[in-house]
Amino acid sequence: MAYRVLVINPGSTSTKIAIYDGETEVVRMTLRHSEADLSKFSSIAEQHKYRETFVLNFLEENNIPLNSINAVVGRGGLLNPVSGGTFRVNDAMCEFLKHAKRGEHASNLGAIMAK
């Protein structure tokens, strides 16, 4: 059985989302965020719930139950230097990214949304 993976890639004016069953892409979408919508937030971290709503709607519109997903992958973020690879998202990582200790960038939302 292939694992079902949700991939989230937040960018400055978009959030890219895809679902994979194993190595096969099932569906993907790029959600564009207007400058007017994003200007309502005083920090990128505050966009978390706003962008998360788009992801949940995407899943619903594509008849993908949240409980059918085996893993969630979120785009990097501005963390302290680490070796390359895959990392389990934890509360400490999310707090670090939420407070933008290495700088503010939309990719900081990747791990936060994945968690």
Side-chain angles (χ1 to χ4, degrees), residues 30-109:
T30 299
L31 306 163
R32 303 279 175 203
H33 309 297
S34 72
E35 196 173 307
D37 285 340
L38 296 180
S39 69
K40 298 173 187 172
F41 303 98
S42 62
S43 71
I44 289 173
E46 287 183 4
Q47 298 173 16
H48 169 217
K49 294 295 182 189
Y50 164 79
R51 291 183 188 234
E52 188 175 85
T53 299
F54 284 104
V55 174
L56 295 173
N57 289 340
F58 165 80
L59 294 174
E60 187 175 321
E61 290 166 6
N62 287 282
N63 299 313
I64 300 169
L66 196 54
N67 65 2
S68 74
I69 296 170
N70 302 105
V72 181
V73 176
R75 175 184 175 201
L78 301 176
L79 296 168
N80 287 328
V82 295
S83 57
T86 303
F87 296 87
R88 182 178 299 268
V89 176
N90 60 36
D91 291 337
M93 179 189 291
C94 289
E95 281 300 308
F96 188 93
L97 293 167
K98 186 169 91 175
H99 295 290
K101 294 184 178 187
R102 301 272 300 175
E104 270 208 318
H105 189 274
S107 65
N108 287 358
L109 292 171

